[in-house]
Amino acid sequence: MDPRLTTAVIVVVGVPAVLVGYILATEQVLRLFPQRAQPRIRPWLWLLPALAFLFVFLIYPTIGTFVRSLQNEAGTQFIGLDNYAWFFGNNGTLAALKNSLIWVVLLTALAVGLGLLIAILFDRVRYESFAKTIIFLPLAISATAASVIWLFMFAYQPPGTPQTGTLNAAVTSVGVAPQPWLTLSGLSLNTILLILVTTWIWTGFCMVIISAALKGINGELLEAARVDGATEWQVFKGIIFPLLLPTLAVVSTTIIITALKAFDIVYVMTNGNFDTQVIANSMYQEMFNFGSFGRGSAIAIVLMIAIVPVMAVNIRRFQAQEAIR
Amino acid sequence: MTTLAAPARTGADKAGGGWRRRFGRLPLHFVVILLLVIWLIPTIGLFINSFRPSADVQASGWWTAIFQPSQLTLSNYTYVLDSAGIWPAFINSLFITIPATVIPIFVAAFAAYAFSWMSFPGRNILFVAVVGLLVVPLQTTFIPILQLFGVFHLNGQFLALWLAHTGYGLPFAIYLLRNFMGSLPREVFESASIDGANHVTSFLRLALPMTVPAIAALAIFQFLFVWNDLLVALIYLGAANPQNAPLTIVVANLVSSLGSGWWYLAAAAFLSTALPLVVFLSLQRYFVRGIVGGSVKG
């Protein structure tokens, strides 16, 4: 039999059958236990597949990476915290750290800010769902394809020849010399351009979620304020914005984590050259280009620790929400 | 005072309504359309370039083609479609993406149901720990898992990608489904339990059907993530088994083997984006309801 056909049958029939079969089997397994013990055992049977996957693919490798971060390049000897000392004493990685901080601040401000602005503006026009689809579309495009799209935007030809890049065509049409945009590291301009590309991708995500929260706000409340003579700005500042705050917190968390993990766009568009290095890309280079698993692992652990406070804030918010459930 | 002022204002609005409705909202439409144009221009530029001969792409910008549409050609698309490996890769992408979307949804739904409607000691702490795993960067996990897959001879197999994508997708999936399932009305499950339904019946007959919006949102995310993924596929399939390579790897190879053949890449990029776009556009009406669930009501 054609192996492709076998695979297709496994994919379409086998996989769902195994999954539903598992949950049906749990009750059979529970019959082996005394009646009284069943409610205590049941939740763990339901959680078992998830916990097994999480352990094998996230927890175990993280522990492994932590151990490697304490070892030398070949992984043959423990060298204490030397890899971490290297990370915080090396100009290259410190520059990556600085750029990642720029990513966190700027990407969060731009994607969440624009998402909020667009959600509010689009709420007032009749072609809202069409407009929202257009803003959301970049999220369906792979990072590689998005990078190609923007490499065309930033393309550079020497002055005097016709410009093929959209941005350079625009600046030359008003008499400014064409610029090799992605190599301009003054004031971190090229890093900012990479952040703008990522903003183009993620604003749609922010917009969709903020817009849903916006529609959840009681319209009569806003109308009452307007009738009482409040200006649109006062309505926004006094009513809409405070009610949106919890949603903005969730969205910001997602974007901060995205910014810290930013990899694909940098990898494809500049590969960290011209002072655009970020933490995730320097980790990839240490591990897979320079074969230094110890250093790469140390960077991974630093990256993870940087995300922990963001998650901690979010978890505290979750617990407060659970308390009122 | 307001009771008196209000009707007067409405009257004034009505009198001037025609003028204000037609011209007062012009700046709003202008800003909205400007935003849409800014968002579309990059994609339109590449889209037009994907229909232009390579010499033209290198010599002039995409906008010049608007005035000379006769230059446009399908040759880039026919080249990419004819080149070896695109169709098998498309099938491979489906083989990888469908189970890698279905498995985490089921596994996460089991867990989300237990977190929502079963009580056991340490429930909230465990849930927080699961969501906390969102902090783990994928790159952290590659080397230990590669070694593990090596032991079981899984490198290069579809199964390796199904398992890995399930593990990576679970924290977000459990978070999303738990938020949605937890906001379903408690009474429904209580009365089902009084009528003698066990947890399996409640799950399959009540919880799953009522969670469809969240599942659809999750399916979109996971499908897009796996379909568009290059890195995970490169690491676990790699060169070990080129006949299992998904579209992203074949497209990436196309680029490196063509050197700077960007114009082919443009066509290839649009071909690889076609299916996710259809999936997204057909499921998007579920998206908002699903992703926000009950959490934004307040």
Side-chain angles (χ1 to χ4, degrees):
Chain A
M1 199 157 88
D2 185 0
R4 298 199 152 262
L5 200 62
T6 322
T7 314
V9 171
I10 293 173
V11 163
V12 178
V13 184
V15 167
V18 167
L19 293 164
V20 176
Y22 174 81
I23 214 66
L24 292 172
T26 55
E27 287 300 314
Q28 304 300 321
V29 171
L30 281 170
R31 291 216 187 122
L32 303 174
F33 292 94
Q35 192 84 38
R36 269 186 336 144
Q38 287 182 9
R40 269 185 294 143
I41 299 167
R42 186 180 287 113
W44 299 103
L45 287 179
W46 285 65
L47 289 170
L48 183 69
L51 296 182
F53 271 109
L54 291 172
F55 182 81
V56 173
F57 288 98
L58 294 171
I59 298 170
Y60 155 77
T62 303
I63 296 169
T65 299
F66 178 68
V67 171
R68 271 179 193 78
S69 76
L70 303 174
Q71 294 175 333
N72 63 359
E73 280 194 20
T76 50
Q77 200 184 342
F78 279 92
I79 53 170
L81 294 175
D82 284 9
N83 287 323
Y84 293 91
W86 164 82
F87 179 85
F88 289 106
N90 177 295
N91 285 337
T93 47
L94 287 179
L97 195 61
K98 185 199 84 178
N99 282 336
S100 280
L101 284 178
I102 300 177
W103 271 78
V104 167
V105 174
L106 210 58
L107 183 67
T108 312
L110 285 172
V112 178
L114 273 172
L116 176 64
L117 178 77
I118 289 175
I120 289 174
L121 287 179
F122 286 13
D123 196 37
R124 288 145 198 259
V125 297
R126 237 177 288 162
Y127 43 95
E128 184 187 2
S129 69
F130 164 78
K132 284 207 296 207
T133 303
I134 287 177
I135 303 288
F136 193 87
L137 227 45
L139 212 58
I141 298 173
S142 72
T144 323
S147 305
V148 177
I149 286 176
W150 282 88
L151 284 172
F152 266 114
M153 291 292 284
F154 297 140
Y156 167 74
Q157 307 292 340
T161 52
Q163 294 297 321
T164 54
T166 313
L167 194 56
N168 273 327
V171 299
T172 46
S173 72
V174 292
V176 180
Q179 305 291 327
W181 296 103
L182 290 175
T183 65
L184 300 179
S185 59
L187 297 173
S188 299
L189 181 72
N190 47 7
T191 292
I192 293 172
L193 290 176
L194 296 182
I195 295 171
L196 285 179
V197 173
T198 315
T199 306
W200 177 74
I201 296 173
W202 281 93
T203 297
F205 174 85
C206 302
M207 169 206 70
V208 166
I209 292 177
I210 295 171
S211 162
L214 196 63
K215 303 220 180 290
I217 294 176
N218 187 343
E220 288 167 24
L221 194 66
L222 306 180
E223 211 41 55
R226 288 189 185 119
V227 167
D228 284 346
T231 63
E232 281 302 306
W233 173 243
Q234 284 171 326
V235 171
F236 173 76
K237 214 180 79 169
I239 304 174
I240 297 178
F241 188 72
L243 285 176
L244 284 183
L245 265 182
T247 309
L248 292 176
V250 175
V251 173
S252 302
T253 311
T254 315
I255 299 299
I256 289 173
I257 293 178
T258 307
L260 280 169
K261 289 186 181 176
F263 170 74
D264 318 49
I265 295 289
V266 179
Y267 176 75
V268 180
M269 291 188 73
T270 64
N271 198 13
N273 292 316
F274 319 115
D275 296 327
T276 56
Q277 187 67 295
V278 291
I279 308 180
N281 194 49
S282 74
M283 165 171 70
Y284 182 88
Q285 288 182 343
E286 285 297 330
M287 281 192 176
F288 296 100
N289 295 356
F290 309 144
S292 178
F293 293 158
R295 286 178 175 179
S297 301
I299 302 177
I301 297 296
V302 170
L303 175 55
M304 210 174 76
I305 291 171
I307 303 177
V308 167
V310 185
M311 281 312 292
V313 171
N314 231 29
I315 284 165
R316 198 166 297 164
R317 202 189 48 79
F318 166 77
Q319 282 170 330
Q321 214 174 42
E322 276 307 277
I324 56 167
R325 182 162 97 107
Chain B
M1 198 187 96
T2 44
T3 43
L4 274 176
R9 263 178 59 95
T10 324
D13 270 1
K14 249 179 205 154
W19 186 87
R20 278 193 52 185
R21 205 172 301 149
R22 212 168 298 162
F23 300 104
R25 288 162 58 83
L26 265 184
L28 172 69
H29 290 295
F30 177 77
V31 173
V32 169
I33 288 166
L34 183 72
L35 281 165
L36 294 184
V37 169
I38 292 173
W39 243 259
L40 274 177
I41 277 185
T43 316
I44 289 176
L46 188 73
F47 191 65
I48 292 178
N49 263 343
S50 74
F51 289 102
R52 300 176 71 211
S54 57
D56 289 8
V57 173
Q58 285 169 301
S60 59
W62 55 270
W63 51 90
T64 55
I66 298 172
F67 308 107
Q68 294 154 295
S70 58
Q71 295 176 336
L72 298 180
T73 159
L74 281 171
S75 64
N76 296 328
Y77 283 90
T78 48
Y79 178 87
V80 171
L81 286 173
D82 289 345
S83 65
I86 284 286
W87 289 110
F90 185 84
I91 303 290
N92 285 342
S93 277
L94 280 178
F95 282 165
I96 292 166
T97 310
I98 293 173
T101 308
V102 171
I103 301 173
I105 288 178
F106 269 92
V107 171
F110 300 159
Y113 183 85
F115 278 128
S116 306
W117 302 111
M118 294 180 189
S119 56
F120 54 93
R123 184 173 76 163
N124 277 355
I125 293 172
L126 191 61
F127 178 68
V128 163
V130 167
V131 178
L133 288 174
L134 278 172
V135 303
V136 177
L138 292 193
Q139 291 89 340
T140 322
T141 67
F142 289 156
I143 305 243
I145 292 180
L146 262 180
Q147 290 172 344
L148 197 66
F149 278 163
V151 173
F152 294 98
H153 304 288
L154 281 175
N155 285 319
Q157 308 292 320
F158 288 139
L159 184 59
L161 283 182
W162 299 348
L163 297 176
H165 278 302
T166 300
Y168 296 153
L170 270 181
F172 180 70
I174 294 176
Y175 176 68
L176 190 72
L177 293 186
R178 157 69 183 74
N179 273 356
F180 200 92
M181 270 193 202
S183 67
L184 296 175
R186 182 175 288 276
E187 302 78 34
V188 175
F189 292 93
E190 276 166 3
S191 59
S193 147
I194 290 166
D195 289 343
N198 64 12
H199 277 291
V200 174
T201 318
S202 295
F203 173 73
L204 291 175
R205 296 278 171 79
L206 295 174
L208 270 192
M210 289 167 89
T211 314
V212 160
I215 291 176
L218 183 60
I220 293 179
F221 255 130
Q222 184 73 6
F223 186 95
L224 291 181
F225 179 76
V226 178
W227 184 272
N228 288 334
D229 160 74
L230 172 66
L231 189 59
V232 178
L234 267 181
I235 303 270
Y236 298 133
L237 286 181
N241 202 349
Q243 77 209 41
N244 280 356
L247 214 45
T248 43
I249 290 188
V250 172
V251 168
N253 286 345
L254 198 63
V255 179
S256 47
S257 66
L258 293 169
S260 55
W262 292 113
W263 42 95
Y264 293 126
L265 184 61
F270 277 103
L271 285 175
S272 68
T273 306
L275 187 69
L277 278 188
V278 170
V279 168
F280 168 66
L281 292 176
S282 56
L283 289 178
Q284 68 159 340
R285 65 199 162 97
Y286 291 111
F287 194 79
V288 171
R289 268 200 302 158
I291 198 137
V292 192
S295 59
V296 187
K297 271 185 218 146

